[in-house]
């Protein structure tokens, strides 16, 4: 069950097996049925999660009732509301399973324990945080400088494994456009017009 997490850790840092197992034992396994929430707006996020099976979406609902998807998380990806988790404040986000899913959850207390007692784990999270910052910066630049057509083409090129598992509505919410506009983009790509 924790093999995927073991591999993920090994891909980022070199760590003795005993310390890796000690860290992995801090996680709790949770099943999340499709359309069920791991977190809802107003709750305080008490976890960072590592997805071992399934698919999640992390989204916000704006004042006009529109859903804005921040990101998706599939196997081998992490999920959390880092603001709520770090600052112990009510979340503005929803974390919903789009498929029957399994996730390993670590609490803030156990993560802090790992930081203090397992130095390679602090390095692991530093590396992951840097990668997340890079991805967010690139997404912000793309949103400011690219057309919706370009962003859609980038999405299907970057995440081909996701495209097959998502609806047009979900992809549109991620791109910040209506699903009608996404349909026009897809039609334009297919017809070449």
């Amino acid at each position: 069950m924790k093999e995927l997490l073991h591999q993920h850790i090994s891909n980022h840092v070199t760590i003795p097996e005993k310390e890796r197992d000690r860290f992995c034992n801090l996680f709790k396994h949770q099943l999340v049925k499709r359309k069920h929430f791991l977190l809802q707006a107003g709750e305080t996020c008490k976890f960072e999660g590592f997805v071992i099976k399934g698919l999640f979406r992390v989204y916000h609902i704006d004042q006009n009732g529109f859903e804005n998807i921040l990101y998706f998380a599939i196997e081998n990806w992490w999920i959390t509301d880092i603001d709520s988790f770090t600052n112990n404040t009510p979340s503005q986000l929803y974390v919903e399973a789009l498929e029957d899913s399994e996730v390993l959850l670590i609490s803030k207390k156990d993560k802090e324990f790992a930081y203090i007692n397992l130095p390679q784990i602090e390095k692991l999270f530093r590396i992951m945080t840097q990668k997340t910052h890079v991805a967010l910066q690139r997404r912000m630049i793309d949103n400011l400088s690219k057309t919706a057509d370009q962003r859609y083409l980038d999405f299907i090129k970057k995440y081909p494994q996701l495209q097959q598992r998502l609806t047009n509505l979900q992809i549109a919410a991620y791109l910040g456009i209506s699903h009608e506009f996404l349909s026009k983009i897809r039609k334009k790509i297919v017809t070449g017009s």
Side-chain angles (χ1 to χ4, degrees):
M1 184 184 312
K2 293 182 179 175
E3 291 171 9
L4 192 61
L5 182 58
H6 290 176
Q7 185 61 47
H8 180 80
I9 294 166
S10 298
N11 288 342
H12 291 89
V13 294
T14 302
I15 183 171
E17 187 176 328
K18 188 176 176 183
E19 289 185 21
R20 183 201 65 195
D21 291 346
R22 191 173 176 203
F23 173 63
C24 291
N25 287 335
L26 297 173
F27 287 78
K28 293 180 176 46
H29 178 255
Q30 186 166 332
L31 299 172
V32 186
K33 291 280 187 191
R34 181 175 174 264
K35 294 188 175 181
H36 285 207
F37 290 89
L38 202 51
L39 177 72
Q40 295 192 59
E43 299 173 349
T44 300
C45 183
K46 303 284 188 187
F47 65 86
E48 286 196 39
F50 181 76
V51 181
I52 56 175
K53 179 185 172 197
L55 169 63
F56 290 87
R57 67 176 169 169
V58 179
Y59 66 97
H60 169 260
I61 296 178
D62 68 22
Q63 60 188 5
N64 297 316
F66 292 110
E67 181 182 302
N68 302 291
I69 296 178
L70 275 69
Y71 62 95
F72 299 101
I74 58 174
E75 297 83 5
N76 207 29
W77 291 17
W78 291 83
I79 49 172
T80 190
D81 175 345
I82 196 65
D83 182 7
S84 176
F85 181 78
T86 302
N87 298 310
N88 201 33
T89 55
S91 178
Q92 297 182 56
L93 303 178
Y94 296 84
V95 178
E96 179 187 16
L98 297 176
E99 301 172 352
D100 289 344
S101 301
E102 294 181 42
V103 63
L104 299 172
L105 303 175
I106 187 168
S107 69
K108 188 172 186 176
K109 179 183 168 191
D110 286 340
K111 187 178 172 189
E112 291 296 328
F113 171 84
Y115 279 173
I116 293 167
N117 296 289
L118 306 166
Q120 286 302 93
I121 297 305
E122 187 166 28
K123 181 179 179 183
L124 169 71
F125 278 95
R126 179 176 51 77
I127 291 168
M128 292 188 325
T129 300
Q130 288 171 337
K131 289 183 174 185
T132 300
H133 280 259
V134 169
L136 289 173
Q137 180 177 306
R138 288 179 180 169
R139 184 158 182 222
M140 286 176 64
I141 291 170
D142 287 351
N143 284 343
L144 293 170
S145 62
K146 292 184 175 179
T147 65
D149 297 34
Q150 290 172 316
R151 294 198 314 271
Y152 173 67
L153 290 171
D154 288 350
F155 177 82
I156 60 175
K157 182 179 177 184
K158 191 172 183 181
Y159 305 112
Q161 73 279 28
L162 265 177
Q163 183 190 6
Q164 304 301 320
R165 296 164 74 174
L166 298 172
T167 66
N168 283 349
L169 200 63
Q170 292 161 345
I171 294 172
Y174 175 82
L175 296 173
I177 59 177
S178 69
H179 74 278
E180 293 87 357
F181 192 57
L182 178 58
S183 295
K184 288 179 185 175
I185 292 171
R186 294 177 83 155
K187 184 177 178 183
K188 191 166 44 173
I189 291 169
V190 170
T191 61
S193 59

